[in-house]
Amino acid sequence: MQAKDSNPPDGGYGWVVVVSAFMVMGLTVAVLKTFGLFFVEIQQHFDEHASTTSWITSVTIAVFHLGAPVASSLCVQYTHRTVVITGGLLAFSGMALGFFGFNMVWMYATTGFLQGLGISFSWTPAISIVSHYFSKKRALANAIASAGECAFAFMFGPFFQWLISQYGWKGALLIIGGIQLNICVCGVLMRPLASSCFLESSHCGTETPPGNGASRPDKEDKSPIKHKTFNWMLVRRSEFVLYANFGILAAMSFFVPPLFLVPLSYSLGIDESWTASLLSILAMVDFGGRLLCGWYANLRVTKTIHLLAMAITLISTSLMLLPLANNYLSLAIFTGFYGFFFGTTVAIHITVLADVVGMPEFDSALGLFMLIRSSGGFVGPPLAGLIVDMAGDYRAGFYMAGAILVLSAGFLIILDRLQQRKIRGSKIRSKPEKSTLPYPSLHILKHQ
């Protein structure tokens, strides 16, 4: 049985869902991106090395990814709305408990584990529901929703710096946790899409008749069919495996620059107020990159996987050049280049995943992709921290991130060539056999 999700609204209440997802992105990932402002404060408070302190972010990123399959499964049982609300409560708990700051292990468990789980339970359903509400405008809708983290990060940079200066890093964590409770409000606005239960046949309990979303399905409809929540067989598809490898390497790199941008700025002798503005610049150009790339991808002039490969290459180039900065102006320029191309990447990488696996498998693929990608997010920041400790220079972390992104682009190129080869093969097999007889009538007589 297949849910009738072939014609999503592509508008209407879907834009309310996009705005809600926009807010969720801002209250989750934007907080994670600007957590670098707390890095030096926590490191000095506990008198720890950079590699030890970076495990807070590493745990958050890892749990964020590892929780994605769990979040997807819970969406099947309790709807996306319920899971987002739960995520908001978990995110608040992580920050509020981090206020006590007993020791580094406590920080790993609260602002690391609980915050990461809250982000996962909020982000995964939010980005999934947007993809189900839109089809033709999916790239644009995803770009607008993901831009929420940029818009909020633009404001959070100076705001968090002000909170830390006024209330200390512990008080700032408590206030930020209270702000994250607004995720619950966003979850309430994520109304189920009645025509498909948000999900494909592998995720819906039953098929809802079109135009009758309020009707209750009979119990008999559920009994003869066993629906699986997760399609683990995606790991046997070469296209998905290649894209997952790209995701692992990208995750190793993406969270390193925001983490070490603030310490690098301090090492160059840049004032704290100017340092906070770097995060705002990063968020602003990131925002522009997402919207511009989402709009361009929606025109379907260039294949999204080609756009993604180009963006990844330009990001790696920006990261290699960023350590050459020796003052605020040059650092701001290179940060702007990095932020813009990073925004283009985030705007379309979920759309590329949908293109690779198809919408019937999208929810399973999203959760599995996040699960596999978690290994990169878990290893990346501590590895960069270790390299920074060994080199004694924060620039080393940026060189590492740029080099790994170059490798990730290679998997996209291989994936694209594999897809093109399969398309050519299918065209050859679909060509009709030409008749050897000169006239169709003779061909008919031959078979009589």
Side-chain angles (χ1 to χ4, degrees), residues 362-397:
F362 174 72
D363 290 280
S364 294
L366 179 60
L368 191 56
F369 176 74
M370 295 292 290
L371 174 65
I372 297 173
R373 198 175 74 166
S374 65
S375 58
F378 187 72
V379 172
L383 178 61
L386 179 62
I387 293 175
V388 167
D389 287 337
M390 294 173 61
D393 192 340
Y394 288 108
R395 293 179 175 89

Side-chain angles (χ1 to χ4, degrees), residues 80-90 121-122 181 183-189:
H80 292 66
R81 172 185 285 169
T82 304
V83 179
V84 171
I85 293 173
T86 303
L89 295 174
L90 287 170
F121 279 31
S122 305
L181 282 174
I183 295 173
C184 301
V185 179
C186 299
V188 172
L189 295 174

